[in-house]
Amino acid sequence: MASVAVNKFVEVCRYLQDPVHVARFQHFCGVKGTFPEKRTQPDSGQSDPDCPGIRKRLRRSSDEAVGNGDAAVTRVNGKQEEEEEEEDAAAGPGGPAAAETARAKPLRRNSLTGDVGQEFLIHNKFLFYLFTFGTELGNEMFFIVFFPFLFWNIDALASRRLIVVWAWNLFVGQSTKDMIRWSRPASPPVVKVEVFYNSEYSMPSTHAMTGTAIPFCLFMLTYGRWQYPFLLGFCVALSWSVLVCVSRVYMGMHSVLEVITGFLYSLLVLAFFQPILDKIDNYYMTDRYAPLVIVASHVSLGLLAFSLDSWSTSRGDTAQALGTGAGAALASHVNYQLGLLQDPPPSSLPLTLPPITAGLVSRALLRFAVGVAVLLATRMAMKAVTIPFLCRLFGLPPDDVRQARQQMKVELPYRYIVYSVVGFSCVCFAPVLFWILNLD
């Protein structure tokens, strides 16, 4: 009985991992690839054209292609051609269908891998913009905007605890990827709407993990602390998570199985941290040895992540998250020791939103604009200083940044130093600047 259940589970997993489902969903959402004509003879031993980056997947053998590879492309393309013929017949030459079609290039070219991807056609611009927004909710620029805004304008306690969960969640997800080592969905039949992360492994989806951890952790931290309906908070968190998860399938970066796994994996991480998050936060702020523990633990985790597999962009992202978490934790310790940014007393809970006035909004926006400008300037300055210094330190040519950053001895300290300073600036330096400018 147990073996039957296991076999059934494996069968379901293989079904959900099939890239054909990704391709069909993309076509349903109006995404069509511009792949070359299907070959009649398989090119055995040639690398997959969709992955010119660090890792190259070998194209499936002829026997495998008949069952799973070219057959899958044929099924998807045949379905697409039939539907397109029906659309063209209904619309006519120059009709609405033709007017809505746009040719686009993959999003966010990765300068380190050189992966530029292949053009594709967009038949539904609304879904393209919606899922582009959804996938950006898991990217670096969103975090560098969201965490500071939450910290400076809404709730510092929730923000610094959220950063702890985000850093650990990303470390667990990226490390799991490098241990499982599953390739991205094959293209064709999948259209790579995004190529920035194409050189990474894909199981589980770390976008799905962060896109689930952040909203649900925020809901967990603020419900009861702030006055708002439970159903409203839960629906916002769930909608946020679903949008990010579905966007990764739309982008062609993950299979259905990888997204579901990322969602469930993130809930498991949250369940682990929920009872101890308050203790971690208090320890970071109050213990005299906390700075040493913070630096040692985050550096050790970075070294572990960098030793799991060969270079990929996931290693830099992991070091970046750990560096940000370390900088924010050190700044929280400094703030507490100096008596800065004290949390509201328990007697004032639950908190309520103040009246929304023009003065309040303008002050918040000004604080946000000044703070983000400081963070971006800090990041730019630290990048300009750190990379050349590390290249000279280790005897690497400073003119080839791409090659240098693929070295562990450069990438790990570079990411860790730069983003720990950014995290420290966000939590400690920027609030002091607001006080000086009378914006606190």
Side-chain angles (χ1 to χ4, degrees), residues 26 31-32 104-108 116-118 120-122 128 131-132 135 187 190-196 247-253:
Q26 289 181 312
V31 178
K32 182 179 184 300
K105 293 183 178 180
L107 303 174
R108 303 186 69 217
V116 297
Q118 188 175 21
F120 52 89
L121 301 178
I122 297 295
F128 174 73
F131 290 126
T132 298
T135 203
S187 176
V190 173
V191 179
K192 294 303 174 71
V193 181
E194 178 188 88
V195 296
F196 188 84
S247 73
R248 300 314 288 165
V249 179
Y250 178 90
M251 293 293 163
M253 286 289 98

Side-chain angles (χ1 to χ4, degrees), residues 106-427:
L107 303 174
R108 303 186 69 217
R109 173 182 174 273
N110 194 322
S111 61
L112 293 180
T113 63
D115 196 350
V116 297
Q118 188 175 21
E119 287 189 344
F120 52 89
L121 301 178
I122 297 295
H123 295 285
N124 190 320
K125 294 182 181 179
F126 171 76
L127 290 180
F128 174 73
Y129 293 128
L130 175 66
F131 290 126
T132 298
F133 171 75
T135 203
E136 287 299 324
L137 294 178
N139 289 335
E140 173 190 350
M141 284 309 300
F142 170 73
F143 297 130
I144 208 171
V145 168
F146 175 73
F147 288 137
F149 183 84
L150 182 66
F151 188 89
W152 299 331
N153 293 317
I154 301 178
D155 194 332
L157 180 145
S159 180
R160 66 173 183 259
R161 295 185 180 185
L162 195 62
I163 291 174
V164 173
V165 173
W166 167 72
W168 278 90
N169 188 80
L170 196 57
F171 165 76
V172 170
Q174 297 286 27
S175 299
T176 303
K177 276 185 180 181
D178 284 344
M179 288 188 288
I180 296 179
R181 303 180 184 180
W182 283 10
S183 297
R184 298 281 180 178
S187 176
V190 173
V191 179
K192 294 303 174 71
V193 181
E194 178 188 88
V195 296
F196 188 84
Y197 299 103
N198 201 35
S199 64
E200 296 181 11
Y201 293 127
S202 63
M203 180 63 163
S205 168
T206 47
H207 266 76
M209 291 185 67
T210 56
T212 300
I214 289 178
F216 278 101
C217 184
L218 186 61
F219 173 55
M220 178 183 73
L221 290 170
T222 57
Y223 183 71
R225 178 177 170 81
W226 288 82
Q227 285 187 347
Y228 62 83
F230 174 88
L231 188 59
L232 173 64
F234 180 79
C235 289
V236 169
L238 183 62
S239 300
W240 181 336
S241 175
V242 170
L243 177 60
V244 176
C245 291
V246 176
S247 73
R248 300 314 288 165
V249 179
Y250 178 90
M251 293 293 163
M253 286 289 98
H254 290 285
S255 69
V256 178
L257 176 64
E258 292 159 0
V259 167
I260 293 175
T261 303
F263 176 83
L264 297 177
Y265 201 10
S266 182
L267 294 181
L268 182 63
V269 173
L270 279 179
F272 173 80
F273 273 98
Q274 195 276 334
I276 63 173
L277 191 56
D278 182 68
K279 296 178 181 178
I280 293 175
D281 185 50
N282 289 334
Y283 176 80
Y284 283 171
M285 291 192 300
T286 61
D287 194 273
R288 60 184 298 187
Y289 297 110
L292 179 61
V293 172
I294 291 167
V295 173
S297 60
H298 285 70
V299 170
S300 299
L301 292 174
L303 290 171
L304 175 62
F306 269 66
S307 63
L308 291 176
D309 194 58
S310 59
W311 182 89
S312 76
T313 51
S314 67
R315 302 199 315 177
D317 290 342
T318 305
Q320 176 176 308
L322 292 172
T324 304
L330 290 172
S332 299
H333 181 82
V334 171
N335 286 342
Y336 181 84
Q337 298 300 321
L338 298 180
L340 305 174
L341 296 177
Q342 296 183 0
D343 296 324
S347 59
S348 64
L349 303 179
L351 303 173
T352 57
L353 288 175
I356 306 299
T357 63
L360 179 68
V361 173
S362 61
R363 201 175 187 83
L365 292 178
L366 184 58
R367 202 161 40 228
F368 178 70
V370 171
V372 168
V374 169
L375 296 187
L376 292 177
T378 301
R379 186 180 69 158
M380 185 182 304
M382 291 301 299
K383 279 186 174 182
V385 171
T386 306
I387 295 180
F389 170 76
L390 292 171
C391 288
R392 286 195 297 269
L393 181 64
F394 296 110
L396 299 174
D399 55 334
D400 192 350
V401 176
R402 179 191 298 182
Q403 184 64 31
R405 286 182 54 182
Q406 293 179 18
Q407 302 286 332
M408 174 182 174
K409 55 190 176 184
V410 173
E411 181 77 351
L412 177 59
Y414 151 67
R415 293 274 193 165
Y416 193 90
I417 293 172
V418 169
Y419 286 94
S420 61
V421 174
V422 170
F424 188 91
S425 299
C426 172
V427 177

